[in-house]
Amino acid sequence: ASEICKSRNDARFVIVGRDNSTGQEFRRDLRRLARTLGIENSVLFLDWLDSTDEFFSAIDLFVSASHFESFGLAMAEAMAFAKPVAATDTAGSRELLPDDALAEPQSPLSLCKIILDKLDDPYRLQIEGDRNKSRILENYSLEKMVLDTEKLYSKILR
């Protein structure tokens, strides 16, 4: 976020989720880091959201900087809302996204480059968002999941 703010003073970041660390020290450390880097006015911290509809409708780009992700449910939700995604290269993100959306894990500058490349091209954001929604509907719709489950059961029963 700090690196992106150096290039784009209009960038805003929203960190969403419950902090389950002891005494919420992880969230406290993130707030302290944002203050130290001078970007505290560019970062909004939200707790757990019961409904993510408004959040996904409001963002331009979804970023997942996970070190490990078995399946990126939040990424899939963002994609279903036709949002472009930048993510670290984890098993979950690799299943959902093309290689050009993936950064080296634990490499903030690699992820920063992908984010800036996307933000610098609004047309690309729109195209990628549309492509992401199509990909989710094609591969993870309820109908597809039911059909695939029926095929698996049929195969097992044979």
Side-chain angles (χ1 to χ4, degrees), residues 44-155:
L44 174 64
F45 292 90
L46 298 177
D47 289 322
W48 182 262
L49 299 176
D50 290 325
S51 173
T52 56
D53 292 4
E54 290 178 1
F55 167 73
F56 285 120
S57 295
I59 64 171
D60 295 320
L61 174 69
F62 183 85
V63 178
S64 174
S66 295
H67 296 170
F68 174 81
E69 189 85 50
S70 58
F71 181 81
L73 184 56
M75 283 183 280
E77 285 181 291
M79 293 169 72
F81 274 88
K83 297 301 175 177
V85 176
T88 48
D89 189 356
T90 63
S93 59
R94 216 174 301 119
E95 183 175 334
L96 293 169
L97 300 166
D99 289 343
D100 67 345
L102 303 176
E104 300 170 34
Q106 301 184 23
S107 174
L109 293 179
S110 173
L111 185 57
C112 180
K113 180 179 180 345
I114 290 172
I115 293 167
L116 287 172
D117 286 348
K118 290 177 185 283
L119 291 177
D120 287 341
D121 187 350
Y123 179 73
R124 178 179 177 190
L125 287 176
Q126 181 67 45
I127 297 298
E128 286 189 19
D130 292 343
R131 180 190 69 201
N132 285 347
K133 184 172 185 170
S134 294
R135 185 178 179 111
I136 288 298
L137 291 174
E138 183 179 314
N139 294 302
Y140 300 98
S141 68
L142 178 59
E143 293 79 15
K144 171 109 169 73
M145 301 304 282
V146 168
L147 184 62
D148 288 351
T149 302
E150 286 177 343
K151 284 180 185 176
L152 177 62
Y153 285 162
S154 294
K155 182 178 176 181

Side-chain angles (χ1 to χ4, degrees), residues 31-50:
R31 287 181 189 275
R32 186 178 314 121
L33 181 59
R35 250 188 331 274
T36 300
L37 294 171
I39 61 169
E40 68 272 17
N41 293 330
S42 297
V43 182
L44 174 64
F45 292 90
L46 298 177
D47 289 322
W48 182 262
L49 299 176
D50 290 325

